[in-house]
Amino acid sequence: MGDESAKPPEFWDALAEHVTAKVEPVLRQHAHVRQPVIVYLRDLEVLARQECDRREVIQIIASGPRILGDREQVGRPDGPFSRT
């Protein structure tokens, strides 16, 4: 992943609010409405595992899809933050 796609530190600092803003509006919607948010959060988790070294950021992102009913694990089962 190139430097042009790296998120600034401020993005990771505001992540909890960002995830909440994505999850809350679709929380009580049908699965087909939640699915794009789940996919977005999975992609964001992959990016965070590559760019961010803060465990709490990974935990916050990973909680979003779980709250929406997704049980698929992102990332390597033995990788950094694998127990988050």
Side-chain angles (χ1 to χ4, degrees):
M1 184 162 285
D3 290 337
E4 64 276 353
S5 65
K7 300 287 187 195
E10 298 80 23
F11 177 81
W12 302 118
D13 291 342
L15 191 77
E17 294 83 12
H18 179 74
V19 170
T20 300
K22 292 285 187 185
V23 170
E24 280 186 348
V26 298
L27 190 56
R28 290 181 173 72
Q29 302 295 319
H30 292 286
H32 71 276
V33 177
R34 291 190 312 260
Q35 192 59 34
V37 176
I38 290 170
V39 170
Y40 169 78
L41 291 172
R42 283 184 197 156
D43 291 345
L44 184 60
E45 184 178 344
V46 169
L47 182 64
R49 287 177 184 274
Q50 294 170 351
E51 294 185 5
C52 185
D53 61 354
R54 295 175 17 211
R55 177 182 293 269
E56 66 272 10
V57 168
I58 306 300
Q59 291 173 330
I60 290 167
I61 298 169
S63 69
R66 286 191 202 115
I67 289 169
L68 296 175
D70 181 49
R71 299 296 179 245
E72 184 175 319
Q73 183 174 342
V74 174
R76 296 184 348 230
D78 61 342
F81 309 127
S82 62
R83 296 177 195 211
T84 58

